Amino acid sequence: MQFPSNIDRKVTTDQLILQIDMSCIKLDTIKPWITKRITEILGMEDDVVICFICNLLDEKNVDPREIQISITGFLNHRNARLFIEELWDLLISAMDNNTGIPTKILEEKKFEIAQRMEKGEEKKVFFNFIME
């Protein structure tokens, strides 16, 4: 089984991130992405698969190889590998960000809020998202 190359991202010259410390990540901000991405891959929303993946991420330390192996039966090899690669980038970003939220998700939320502000909607939506 091939694994994404980004799961071996170097932190320092002698250490690799093979596990993510989920205690510093706001998983609730990533769950909507998981739902959207799994729905895109499967062509339908599958609550069982989505909950299964979220439960795998509820551990303190997660190993992308174990998750990929666990979800391959639902997504097939290629899609499982692609999903883990994308998810791992988000988790690394969230771990690197002191808010515990991936930069990509923060940027998407900022864009959404900017659009709302143009339409006259409330500015505090962004702050509520950050405070969750």
Side-chain angles (χ1 to χ4, degrees):
M1 179 175 286
Q2 291 182 331
F3 296 100
S5 61
N6 66 335
I7 64 174
D8 292 328
R9 184 186 83 128
K10 291 192 177 201
V11 178
T12 63
T13 54
D14 60 344
Q15 181 185 10
L16 297 175
I17 290 185
L18 293 176
Q19 292 186 332
I20 294 285
D21 180 4
M22 294 300 291
S23 65
C24 63
I25 295 174
K26 292 187 177 179
L27 187 56
D28 287 342
T29 63
I30 299 173
K31 286 180 180 180
W33 177 87
I34 293 170
T35 299
K36 178 182 174 194
R37 192 65 184 108
I38 292 301
T39 302
E40 290 170 355
I41 291 170
L42 296 177
M44 65 177 195
E45 188 170 329
D46 189 329
D47 291 336
V48 173
V49 175
I50 293 165
C51 288
F52 179 67
I53 292 168
C54 291
N55 287 338
L56 291 172
L57 296 173
D58 277 338
E59 302 295 322
K60 180 176 175 8
N61 292 302
V62 295
D63 182 333
R65 289 176 175 92
E66 290 178 16
I67 296 174
Q68 182 176 334
I69 291 166
S70 297
I71 66 173
T72 295
F74 299 108
L75 304 181
N76 79 37
H77 293 291
R78 182 181 174 281
N79 287 334
R81 182 172 170 257
L82 179 62
F83 176 80
I84 291 299
E85 183 174 9
E86 294 169 1
L87 175 64
W88 207 248
D89 282 340
L90 289 176
L91 294 176
I92 290 170
S93 175
M95 200 169 76
D96 289 345
N97 193 335
N98 61 4
T99 64
I101 302 170
T103 302
K104 177 183 176 182
I105 291 175
L106 282 173
E107 293 301 319
E108 288 172 356
K109 188 54 89 169
K110 285 179 189 178
F111 180 74
E112 177 186 320
I113 290 168
Q115 287 182 325
R116 286 183 182 181
M117 288 172 52
E118 287 177 8
K119 295 178 182 178
E121 294 186 23
E122 295 181 15
K123 296 178 184 178
K124 68 180 193 176
V125 173
F126 179 72
F127 298 108
N128 289 341
F129 174 77
I130 296 296
M131 299 309 285
E132 293 180 335

